[in-house]
């Protein structure tokens, strides 16, 4: 891409066509709430551009038409004695126009705000999201206690159904931000807040913590997969299942490593007896696309790096390094691979 | 006294006084600025008090309201101290050194009394700064005001010593007058703080 | 255009008087004199140099951040150091550069523009400078020891609280706030008193230069805004050091209390930075279009309106928290409304340029840069005022772009213009024009290359305060451009430094009034004598040096063998008193050291507040205590009211 005048055009194109999936972009709304904000955005940018151009044109005209002088030119102090009605009229007109445009923007903003508050909520999916330094815990709530399940860092939601998220924090202030679907909401310790959104296009969207939350604020991302309702329900059913106990010898050996080393101190694997809650629930870790809160692609090699040298992958993370022999590591990776 | 224009191009100010009281003096404006700043701090701390209260189910948070005795007694002492303070100010504006000395001493006596009672007040708050947020904000208010009492008492003491030892010139009386204005501020700002600390938890 | 001639009877008498005045008002010689200096120009020059030093330091930190972010997944610095970098950058630029530099320039110019011999409370002015310097040095000492604060310049709790930021890092930050706010508050009191009571006879409020109006309004804003952050940071420090619970939700405290207190200061603070440059703009535009600024009353009222509105919009930093809807609507409206007074001023300046005759010197270029950059920043500000839009762009690079457009366009460009404009007054020599134009164009282009892409970066999803970002997000090229622009800005500032160093010795001699300007500071020598004016002027108009009767007379009858000044009345500036200002003293410096020991000591033990108070009390008492000789001399010439 070349940098020609006006120099920002390439950026505009680039921002609009960012190819890499998953998308994290307020300019590519994929749900009704983000759509409405985007509409307001277009109106606002149009009005602001108009004002900007008008001011610049007025300035350039002023520079072009006024005379030239130097330090010895006699100052013109006539205006101190006599009023300048022509200038007064122009300035008043410009101020009046600015006030009118500002009024339009304020009304449009109030209107958008009301629309955002009126999204229909029937048949909603309820998710409780708790932010931790530096990962996301999610609990899918259900009136039937047996259908409640936990996951971490990756959510699935059904296209076309409203989602009500209850947002909490376990430590410092974090902010939930999923730009393709909605604006942000702070997660404040000691308080609870709600965000209501709906995905109208299937796809995977990336979100990220937006409030500075300490050392690894930059590496606190999450993924949301919006998919047709039946596929969503299938995913949810799979997530509700406990981990399988049908394991090969090596996988059993891997589970033994998991239980005897530090893994079990922080993580849960439903059905295995591991049920600590300081780190993400790993019951279905193999079904996720990423590791370490959106930092690494989830494959065997990266998992090995993450388990043995977490500080290298994500400096400052609360995950401790685990020293394993080659045999132990391979077995553990085999076992983790079964957690689909 | 109006300065005289002497011929073209000259404004002779040599007849003007070299010092003046009240808002004529620079010192008055300096003191006024400090009072605005400190008044703002008090107001914000009171706002924080009610903000925390609005977010709490109970108030005071698992503590009894402060005992009224010493706080109320001190309010009376502080109000009474305005009298010698006023007389010191009047004497200063008449440049009456004898009376200034007398009433400044009386003020100092008062300051010893209210600082002593202030110690008892801290003991009767029924909460500690580290008990809960209620205790923190009450102690903050008390500590802020007590700092003003201490500094004002110290200022007055230094000024009183100066009035006895010299060297003296006319503008030292202006200092006495400004010191008295600041004393008013410290006393009057106590009234809302007293109401908040001692009475707000009872309603 | 006139320069004031001194109407003393004979040229010889005039010379004698000038010599005596110089001896009376200058700072004492030698090392002792250096620490005892209280002349407002001496202190102001030190103050400006110090703030500029911090500006350069903050800029270097920014450059390191930009180099780290030039590529995705870069490892030039790690997250721990990066977090210190952006915390230090924000803290430096806000607390050690932008607000104090405005007060520093003001403390040089205001007395000269008012026709006064000095600032009110010159010793307090020196004390405020030393406190500021020591606070800044403390912060940078901590940073160089790798214990610099790392919780952001906004230090949100609970991240900045005792549980999540153990150690001393945030304590240094909180105590820096105490240092700088103390200094800033004292400066505000000094400036208000000077402006109200020390104007030249005849300079009614209605004739006061627009720049002085902006400093007056700013100083009042300081009095109302800064106490809020002092209270907030004091509560933070007591939470951290003695176990109070202001911000601890587990014990009835509240995390949002911090945000309310911080932004009740933090938003007006933007206007503390932005309003004085409006005065620079008015000064520069008037002089270089050879006419008074159009709409004096509108300009004054607009500045006052800005100040009032500035206190009604702090919540727009908190839209993403759970604030009731109705409250948000109020803050949206008031945040958008503040655009109106700014628009009024922009239109008045354009009207002035439209009808003026223009002299395209470097100061005017910088002032014109303001129109482009600040207007864009103001419009993105209107965008941020909207709740819905803010929810998307809040805490992203869009805000980084916005705030730099506002603060660099609205404050730094006019500030550079002001340096080019008043440098001849400070030094007696003009800055080089050629280097000046290079300085301007590199800055202007580099700035836009660096910060314009950030708007799009924010919309494309890039949050602020991230030490790195993954590849493949579509952010790489815009980040690279931002870094290239950052390097251009650095080069431009380097040219400025070279220009200053060169011109200080070899620049074109300026004379009293090189630009043919109309306000009183140009009516005395460059650099001005220690007492500012040999014979202080009487003021007959808004642009006294331009108007036929602008300086109808000069003040006589003030003593020249002691620091006697003229005090005038508040509204109409009628001569009222002629008090004597204090002489140079080492005690402001020593008291500042004592206060510094108290503040820094309190980071390590709360008892420092008790034992540290003893030397402070001694210092302040000796500072105040009158000297026998001076008192005797004053008594002789005393005139009672």
């Amino acid at each position: 891409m070349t940098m020609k005048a006006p120099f920002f055009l390439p950026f505009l194109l680039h921002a609009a066509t960012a190819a890499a999936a998953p998308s994290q972009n307020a300019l590519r709304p994929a749900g009704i709430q983000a759509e409405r904000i985007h509409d307001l955005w277009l109106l606002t940018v149009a009005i602001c551009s108009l004002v900007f151009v008008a001011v610049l044109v007025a300035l350039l005209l002023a520079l072009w038409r006024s005379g030239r002088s130097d330090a010895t030119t006699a100052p013109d102090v006539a205006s101190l004695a006599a009023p300048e009605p022509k200038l007064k009229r122009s300035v008043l007109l410009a101020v009046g126009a600015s006030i009118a445009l500002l009024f339009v923007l304020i009304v449009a903003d109030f209107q958008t705000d009301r629309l955002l508050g009126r999204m229909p909520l029937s048949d909603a999916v309820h998710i409780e999201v708790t932010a931790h330094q530096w990962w996301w815990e999610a609990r899918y709530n259900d009136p039937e206690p047996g259908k409640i399940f936990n996951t971490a860092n990756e959510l699935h939601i059904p296209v076309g159904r409203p989602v009500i998220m209850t947002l909490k924090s376990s430590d410092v202030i974090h902010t939930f931000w999923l730009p393709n679907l909605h604006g942000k909401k702070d997660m404040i310790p000691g308080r609870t807040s709600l965000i209501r959104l709906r995905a109208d296009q299937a796809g995977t969207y990336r979100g990220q913590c937006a409030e500075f939350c300490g050392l690894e604020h930059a590496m606190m991302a999450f993924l949301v997969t919006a998919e047709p309702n039946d596929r969503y329900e299938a995913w949810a059913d799979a997530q509700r299942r406990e981990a399988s106990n049908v394991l090969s010898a090596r996988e059993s050996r891997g589970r033994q490593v998991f239980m005897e080393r530090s893994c079990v101190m922080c993580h849960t694997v439903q059905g295995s007896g591991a049920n600590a809650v300081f780190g993400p629930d790993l019951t279905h870790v193999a079904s996720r696309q990423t590791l370490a809160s959106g930092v690494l692609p989830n494959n065997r090699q990266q998992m090995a790096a993450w388990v043995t040298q977490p500080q290298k992958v994500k400096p400052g993370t609360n995950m401790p390094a685990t020293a394993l022999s080659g045999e132990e590591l391979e077995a553990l990776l085999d076992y983790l691979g079964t957690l689909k | 006294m109006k300065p005289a224009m002497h011929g073209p191009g000259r404004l002779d100010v040599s007849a003007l006084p070299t010092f003046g009281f009240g808002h004529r003096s620079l010192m008055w404006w300096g003191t006024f600025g400090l009072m605005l700043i400190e008044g703002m701090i008090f107001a914000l701390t009171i706002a924080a008090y009610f903000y925390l209260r609005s977010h709490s189910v109970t108030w005071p948070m698992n503590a009894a309201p402060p005992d009224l005795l010493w706080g109320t007694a001190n309010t009376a002492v502080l109000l009474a101290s305005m009298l010698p303070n006023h007389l010191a100010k009047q004497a200063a504006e008449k440049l009456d050194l004898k009376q200034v000395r007398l009433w400044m001493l009386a003020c100092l006596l008062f300051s010893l009394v209210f600082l002593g009672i202030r110690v008892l007040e801290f003991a009767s708050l029924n909460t500690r700064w580290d008990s809960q947020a209620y205790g923190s904000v009450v102690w903050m208010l008390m500590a802020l005001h007590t700092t003003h009492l201490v500094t004002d008492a110290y200022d007055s003491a230094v000024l009183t010593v100066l009035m006895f030892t010299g060297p003296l010139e006319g503008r030292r009386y202006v200092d006495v007058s400004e010191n008295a204005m600041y004393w008013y501020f410290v006393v009057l700002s106590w009234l809302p703080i007293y109401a908040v600390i001692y009475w707000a938890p009872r309603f | 255009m006139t320069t004031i001639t001194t109407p003393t009877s004979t040229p010889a008498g005039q010379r004698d008087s000038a010599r005596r005045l110089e001896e009376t008002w200058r700072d004492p010689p030698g090392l002792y004199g250096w620490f005892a200096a209280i002349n407002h120009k001496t202190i102001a020059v030190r103050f400006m140099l110090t703030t500029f030093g911090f500006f350069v330091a903050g800029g270097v930190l920014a450059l390191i951040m930009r180099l780290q972010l030039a590529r995705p997944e870069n490892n030039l610095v790690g997250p721990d150091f990066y977090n210190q970098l952006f915390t230090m950058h924000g803290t430096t630029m806000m607390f050690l550069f932008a607000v104090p530099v405005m007060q520093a320039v003001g403390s040089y110019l205001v007395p000269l523009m008012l026709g006064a011999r000095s600032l009110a409370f010159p010793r307090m002015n020196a004390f405020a400078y030393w406190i500021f310097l020591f606070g800044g040095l403390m912060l940078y000492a901590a940073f160089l020891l790798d214990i610099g604060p790392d919780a952001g310049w906004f230090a949100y709790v609970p991240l900045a609280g005792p549980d999540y930021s153990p150690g001393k890092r945030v304590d240094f930050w909180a105590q820096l706030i105490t240092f700088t706010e103390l200094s800033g508050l004292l400066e505000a009191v000094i400036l208000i008193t000077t402006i109200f009571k020390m104007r030249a006879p005849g300079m009614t409020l209605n004739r006061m230069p627009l720049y002085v109006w902006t400093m007056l309004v700013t100083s009042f804003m300081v009095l109302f805004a800064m106490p809020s952050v002092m209270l907030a940071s004091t509560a933070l420090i007591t939470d951290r050091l003695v176990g109070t619970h202001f911000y601890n939700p587990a014990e009835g405290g509240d995390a949002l209390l911090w945000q309310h207190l911080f932004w009740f200061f933090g938003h007006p603070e933007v206007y503390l930075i932005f309003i004085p440059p409006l005065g620079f703009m008015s000064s520069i535009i008037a002089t270089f279009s050879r006419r008074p600024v159009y709409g004096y009353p509108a300009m004054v009222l607009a500045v006052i309106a800005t100040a009032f509105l500035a206190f009604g919009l702090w919540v727009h930093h908190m839209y993403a928290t759970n604030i009731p809807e109705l409250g948000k609507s109020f803050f949206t409206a008031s945040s958008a409304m503040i655009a109106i007074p700014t628009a009024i001023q922009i239109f008045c300046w354009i009207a002035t340029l439209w009808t003026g005759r223009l002299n395209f010197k470097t100061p005017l270029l910088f002032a014109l840069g303001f129109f482009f950059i600040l207007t864009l920043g103001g419009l993105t500000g209107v965008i941020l005022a909207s709740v819905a839009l803010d929810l998307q762009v809040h805490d992203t690079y869009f805000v980084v772009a916005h705030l730099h457009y506002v603060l660099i366009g609205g404050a730094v460009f006019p500030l550079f213009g002001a340096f080019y404009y008043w440098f001849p007054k400070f030094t007696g020599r003009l800055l080089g024009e050629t280097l000046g134009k290079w300085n301007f164009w590199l800055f202007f282009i580099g700035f836009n290359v660096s910060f314009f892409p950030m708007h799009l970066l924010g919309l494309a999803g890039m949050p602020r305060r991230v030490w790195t970002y993954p590849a493949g997000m579509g952010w790489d090229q815009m980040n690279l451009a931002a870094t290239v622009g950052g390097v251009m800005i650095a080069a431009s500032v380097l040219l400025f430094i070279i220009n200053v160093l060169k011109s200080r010795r070899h620049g074109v001699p300026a004379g009293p009034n090189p630009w043919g300007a109309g306000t009183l500071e140009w009516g005395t020598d460059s650099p001005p004598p220690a007492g500012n004016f040999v014979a202080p002027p009487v003021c007959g108009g808004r642009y006294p040096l331009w108007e036929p009767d602008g300086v109808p007379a000069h003040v006589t009858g003030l003593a020249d063998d002691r620091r006697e000044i003229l005090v005038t009345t508040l509204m109409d500036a009628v001569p009222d008193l002629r008090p004597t200002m204090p002489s140079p003293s080492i005690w402001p410096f020593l008291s500042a050291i004592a206060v510094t020991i108290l503040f820094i000591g309190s980071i390590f033990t709360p008892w420092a507040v008790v034992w540290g108070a003893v030397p402070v009390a001694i210092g302040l008492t000796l500072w105040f205590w009158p000297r026998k000789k001076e008192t005797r001399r004053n008594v002789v010439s005393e005139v009672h009211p």
Side-chain angles (χ1 to χ4, degrees):
Chain A
M1 208 172 291
T2 52
M3 297 264 290
K4 285 180 188 161
F7 68 91
F8 52 83
L9 263 185
F11 301 128
L12 278 174
L13 291 173
H14 196 82
T17 59
S23 167
Q24 174 174 325
N25 196 328
L27 295 177
R28 303 170 94 205
I32 181 168
Q33 305 287 64
E35 194 87 56
R36 281 173 174 153
I37 298 176
H38 190 246
D39 291 345
L40 178 64
W41 163 254
L42 293 178
L43 173 75
T44 310
V45 166
I47 291 181
C48 289
S49 307
L50 184 77
V51 173
F52 184 57
V53 170
V55 170
L56 279 195
V57 167
L59 176 70
L60 291 175
L61 274 179
L63 300 185
W64 174 69
R65 69 175 289 285
S66 54
R68 297 292 174 263
S69 67
D70 62 32
T72 58
T73 310
D76 175 7
V77 290
S79 67
L80 289 173
E84 296 168 282
K86 257 168 95 181
L87 284 188
K88 187 174 181 181
R89 220 173 311 132
S90 317
V91 168
L92 280 179
L93 202 69
V95 172
S98 315
I99 293 175
L101 290 173
L102 212 52
F103 187 73
V104 171
L105 286 182
I106 292 178
V107 170
D109 176 53
F110 288 174
Q111 191 60 24
T112 307
D113 239 17
R114 281 175 52 176
L115 287 173
L116 289 176
R118 281 196 193 156
M119 190 184 85
L121 292 175
S122 59
D123 191 27
V125 177
H126 289 264
I127 311 174
E128 187 180 310
V129 180
T130 306
H132 300 263
Q133 280 182 322
W134 293 276
W135 61 283
W136 310 83
E137 176 188 351
R139 164 186 289 258
Y140 279 66
N141 279 319
D142 201 285
E144 286 178 53
K147 295 183 89 171
I148 295 173
F149 64 90
N150 293 323
T151 182
N153 298 331
E154 291 191 17
L155 308 176
H156 284 233
I157 58 173
V159 170
R161 270 174 71 188
V163 178
I164 302 177
M165 294 189 189
T166 309
L167 304 177
K168 293 178 175 176
S169 166
S170 72
D171 37 50
V172 301
I173 301 176
H174 302 270
T175 296
F176 184 89
W177 186 36
L178 189 57
N180 298 66
L181 297 186
H182 203 338
K184 324 180 160 58
K185 203 75 171 182
D186 286 348
M187 312 166 92
I188 299 169
R191 294 177 181 229
T192 304
S193 54
L194 286 180
I195 191 166
R196 292 176 281 245
L197 49 83
R198 192 177 81 203
D200 295 315
Q201 287 168 33
T204 302
Y205 308 107
R206 190 174 186 270
Q208 197 167 347
C209 176
E211 184 64 81
F212 178 65
C213 59
L215 210 52
E216 278 305 340
H217 166 58
M219 295 196 167
M220 189 171 161
F222 59 95
L223 293 180
V224 172
T225 302
E227 54 199 0
N229 195 43
D230 50 341
R231 281 181 56 191
Y232 161 75
E233 293 292 357
W235 172 83
D237 279 340
Q239 296 288 312
R240 288 183 189 112
R241 279 198 285 278
E242 294 188 340
S244 165
N245 282 320
V246 185
L247 299 172
S248 72
R250 243 184 40 153
E251 290 161 358
S252 292
R253 167 73 183 132
R255 185 166 75 171
Q256 187 190 358
V257 173
F258 188 95
M259 294 298 172
E260 287 171 359
R261 295 309 189 85
S262 48
C263 315
V264 71
M265 311 286 280
C266 296
H267 295 286
T268 292
V269 176
Q270 296 286 347
S272 74
N275 53 12
V277 293
F278 299 108
D281 187 313
L282 298 182
T283 314
H284 300 283
V285 67
S287 72
R288 297 181 196 148
Q289 297 177 42
T290 62
L291 294 173
S293 202
V295 174
L296 299 172
N298 187 4
N299 58 40
R300 190 178 176 90
Q301 192 192 350
Q302 301 291 7
M303 180 67 98
W306 178 227
V307 169
T308 53
Q309 293 182 310
Q311 293 299 333
K312 244 187 161 165
V313 174
K314 190 168 169 175
T317 177
N318 293 319
M319 170 128 159
T322 310
L324 297 170
S325 72
E327 177 267 331
E328 287 172 323
L329 178 62
E330 292 303 320
L332 180 65
L333 293 175
D334 279 354
Y335 170 61
L336 292 174
T338 69
L339 302 174
K340 290 225 161 70
Chain B
M1 209 178 307
K2 277 262 168 194
M5 280 284 220
H6 283 292
R10 293 165 84 178
L11 177 73
D12 188 354
V13 297
S14 55
L16 291 177
T18 51
F19 64 95
F21 289 95
H23 60 80
R24 295 175 72 189
S25 87
L26 297 182
M27 217 42 183
W28 188 90
W29 286 94
T31 314
F32 173 75
L34 292 186
M35 283 171 12
L36 269 187
I37 294 166
E38 288 153 20
M40 193 68 196
I41 293 186
F42 288 144
L44 286 163
T45 314
I46 290 173
Y49 178 99
F50 286 104
Y51 178 88
L52 289 170
R53 178 175 164 144
S54 74
H55 283 81
S56 171
V57 187
T58 59
W59 197 265
M61 300 169 182
N62 53 43
D67 305 332
L68 285 175
L69 173 65
W70 291 118
T72 312
N74 220 3
T75 309
V77 174
L78 281 165
L79 284 174
S81 77
M82 296 207 339
L83 181 68
N85 183 51
H86 180 72
L87 292 171
K89 188 170 192 289
Q90 272 193 336
E93 283 163 21
K94 287 187 203 136
L95 312 183
D96 181 343
L97 184 58
K98 251 185 163 165
Q99 294 282 311
V100 166
R101 285 175 175 169
L102 174 68
W103 294 119
M104 290 287 286
L105 276 180
C107 282
L108 278 189
L109 221 64
F110 267 98
S111 64
L112 285 180
V113 176
F114 61 61
L115 284 174
I117 303 182
R118 183 48 63 88
V119 176
L120 301 172
E121 276 193 76
F122 275 105
S124 59
L125 288 177
N126 292 328
T127 182
R128 274 167 55 100
W129 66 90
D130 56 357
S131 306
Q132 9 57 9
Y134 161 75
S136 306
V137 73
V138 165
W139 275 73
M140 178 70 96
L141 261 176
M142 284 295 276
L144 283 174
H145 191 263
T146 307
T147 309
H148 284 76
L149 287 186
V150 172
T151 50
D152 198 19
Y154 181 75
D155 281 355
S156 308
V158 171
L159 205 51
T160 311
V161 173
L162 180 66
M163 293 321 277
F164 277 94
T165 64
L168 288 182
E169 60 180 300
R171 63 173 156 152
R172 297 302 152 216
Y173 294 98
V174 182
D175 292 340
V176 172
S177 168
E178 295 333 325
N179 187 64
M181 176 167 90
Y182 192 69
W183 190 294
Y184 283 140
F185 167 74
V186 173
V187 171
L188 294 177
S189 64
W190 169 250
L191 298 179
I193 297 174
Y194 167 71
V196 168
I197 290 180
Y198 288 92
W199 292 96
R202 294 183 151 80
F203 288 97
Chain C
M1 183 183 67
T2 53
T3 50
I4 299 173
T5 51
T6 314
T8 316
S9 43
T10 65
Q14 183 183 329
R15 271 198 306 278
D16 274 358
S17 174
R19 189 177 44 75
R20 275 198 303 275
L21 270 171
E22 190 68 19
E23 265 168 33
T24 302
W25 283 92
R26 72 165 180 229
D27 291 312
L31 189 66
Y32 172 85
W34 200 84
F35 288 107
I38 60 163
N39 189 294
H40 78 99
K41 296 180 292 300
T42 314
I43 300 295
V45 167
R46 288 182 197 171
F47 215 148
M48 286 191 261
L49 286 174
T50 309
T51 52
F52 189 75
F54 285 125
F55 172 70
V56 171
V60 170
L61 302 179
L63 207 56
I64 302 175
M65 286 194 282
R66 274 322 321 166
L67 292 175
Q68 160 66 14
L69 294 176
R71 291 186 298 139
E73 290 160 32
N74 200 1
N75 271 313
L76 180 68
V77 301
D80 180 70
F81 188 59
Y82 188 89
N83 292 347
Q84 290 184 61
L85 283 176
F86 84 75
T87 303
M88 289 291 293
H89 171 73
T91 305
T92 302
M93 290 308 195
M94 291 302 223
F95 293 111
L96 296 175
F97 167 65
V99 177
V101 75
M102 299 307 167
Q103 292 183 321
V105 174
S107 68
Y108 193 104
L109 290 176
V110 164
L112 285 160
M113 280 195 178
L114 297 181
R117 288 213 187 281
S118 164
L119 279 173
F121 316 126
R123 288 184 180 177
M124 204 206 260
N125 184 47
F127 175 77
Y129 166 70
W130 291 116
I131 284 288
F132 168 79
L133 175 70
F134 296 153
L137 291 180
M138 172 203 71
L139 186 75
Y140 270 83
F143 177 64
L144 293 177
L145 295 171
D146 199 25
I147 43 172
D150 59 351
W153 84 277
F154 46 93
Y156 273 12
V157 291
L159 182 63
D163 295 338
Y164 298 98
S165 291
K168 296 289 172 207
R169 291 178 163 201
V170 176
D171 298 325
F172 288 111
W173 181 87
Q175 217 50 308
L176 174 85
I177 301 303
T178 317
F179 276 99
T180 55
E181 306 305 272
L182 176 59
S183 163
L185 285 164
L186 293 178
E187 286 292 327
V189 171
I190 294 166
L191 285 168
I192 289 173
T193 309
T194 308
I195 294 170
F196 273 170
K197 296 301 290 176
M198 292 168 67
R199 302 198 303 278
M203 187 185 279
T204 60
L205 287 181
N206 195 27
R207 284 175 181 165
M208 216 160 71
L210 285 168
Y211 171 69
V212 178
W213 268 110
T214 63
M215 284 314 297
L216 178 67
V217 170
T218 304
S219 301
F220 268 103
M221 289 183 72
V222 166
L223 298 192
F224 291 108
M226 284 192 178
S228 184
V229 75
M230 276 187 98
L231 175 65
S233 66
T234 305
L236 176 63
I237 248 191
T238 57
D239 266 16
R240 294 176 56 85
L241 298 176
V242 297
T244 57
H245 298 292
F246 288 98
Y247 308 123
N248 178 5
E251 293 289 349
D254 188 79
L256 288 188
L257 174 61
W258 169 267
Q259 296 189 20
H260 282 294
L261 287 173
F262 187 80
W263 291 118
F264 185 76
F265 149 79
H267 204 92
E269 193 206 19
V270 175
Y271 293 90
L272 303 183
I273 295 167
F274 174 62
I275 290 179
L278 299 175
F280 298 153
M281 291 287 291
S282 290
S283 301
I284 293 170
I285 287 179
T287 296
F288 292 93
S289 35
R290 314 295 308 144
R291 57 153 292 169
V293 170
Y294 170 74
Y296 179 94
M299 298 293 284
V300 171
L301 289 176
V303 168
I304 295 173
T306 306
F308 272 100
L309 286 169
F311 283 92
L313 35 74
W314 78 94
V315 169
H316 80 216
H317 294 265
M318 299 167 64
Y319 283 154
T321 65
N322 259 349
I323 299 284
E325 289 301 324
L326 189 68
K328 282 185 194 166
S329 307
F330 169 80
F331 287 103
T332 295
S334 67
S335 305
M337 297 262 277
I338 205 162
I340 296 170
T342 310
I344 291 174
Q345 295 181 73
I346 288 179
F347 298 145
C348 286
W349 287 324
I350 292 181
T352 310
L353 293 166
W354 189 280
T355 49
R357 280 167 295 165
L358 306 181
N359 181 11
F360 278 99
K361 289 289 195 284
T362 308
L364 184 63
L365 284 185
F366 276 101
L368 295 177
F370 170 100
F371 285 96
F372 183 92
I373 301 175
L374 185 275
T375 306
L376 200 52
L379 290 168
T380 54
V382 172
I383 292 174
L384 287 169
S386 149
V387 175
L389 295 177
D390 180 73
L391 290 182
Q392 282 291 21
V393 292
H394 177 67
D395 272 334
T396 70
Y397 264 86
F398 187 91
V399 177
V400 178
H402 159 75
L403 77 91
H404 285 91
Y405 267 80
V406 171
L407 291 177
I408 295 188
V412 177
F413 268 75
L415 183 68
F416 270 83
F419 273 128
Y420 277 88
Y421 181 57
W422 279 297
F423 186 84
K425 185 51 64 186
F426 301 157
T427 64
R429 289 178 188 274
L430 291 157
L431 279 169
E433 270 294 307
T434 314
L435 269 176
K437 291 203 163 118
W438 275 93
N439 179 191
F440 169 75
W441 284 110
L442 250 166
F443 204 158
F444 184 77
I445 296 169
F447 174 81
N448 284 294
V449 170
S450 188
F451 290 97
F452 191 85
M454 290 186 190
H455 293 112
L456 301 158
L457 264 179
L459 291 159
M462 184 161 167
R464 300 169 78 172
R465 300 160 186 149
V466 290
W467 71 278
T468 187
Y469 55 94
M473 302 293 292
W475 302 341
D476 310 4
Q477 294 187 348
M478 293 187 272
N479 271 304
L480 187 60
T483 304
V484 170
V487 173
M488 289 170 77
I489 297 175
S492 148
V493 173
L494 201 64
L495 287 186
F496 174 73
I497 296 172
I498 293 171
N499 200 353
V500 168
L501 293 178
K502 231 177 88 181
S503 306
R504 202 168 61 96
R505 299 215 180 285
H506 309 294
V508 181
N513 192 359
W515 312 114
T519 39
L520 287 177
E521 79 274 25
W522 300 105
T524 186
D525 288 347
S526 305
N532 287 354
F533 299 89
V534 176
V538 172
C539 175
R542 281 181 196 152
Y543 295 85
L545 306 193
W546 279 356
E547 296 164 60
D549 289 331
V551 183
H554 290 80
V555 174
T556 62
L558 287 178
D560 54 14
D561 58 347
R562 60 200 146 84
R563 300 187 167 213
E564 195 164 86
I565 61 153
L566 182 62
V567 166
T568 53
T569 57
L570 173 62
M571 302 294 288
D572 297 328
V574 177
D576 187 31
L577 302 172
R578 43 180 191 93
T580 301
M581 290 268 114
S583 49
S585 160
I586 192 93
W587 287 104
F589 171 71
L590 295 177
S591 303
I593 288 187
V595 171
T596 303
I597 292 170
L598 188 159
F599 284 170
I600 296 181
S602 71
I603 293 177
F604 297 94
T605 161
W607 289 104
V609 176
V610 180
W611 53 253
V614 176
V616 172
I618 294 173
L620 295 178
T621 307
L622 289 170
W623 168 348
F624 162 76
W625 202 263
R627 304 288 175 272
K628 276 201 181 105
K629 208 175 111 197
E630 276 175 44
T631 308
R632 230 176 295 139
R633 196 193 54 196
N634 290 345
V635 168
V636 173
S637 52
E638 202 163 66
V639 178
H640 289 198

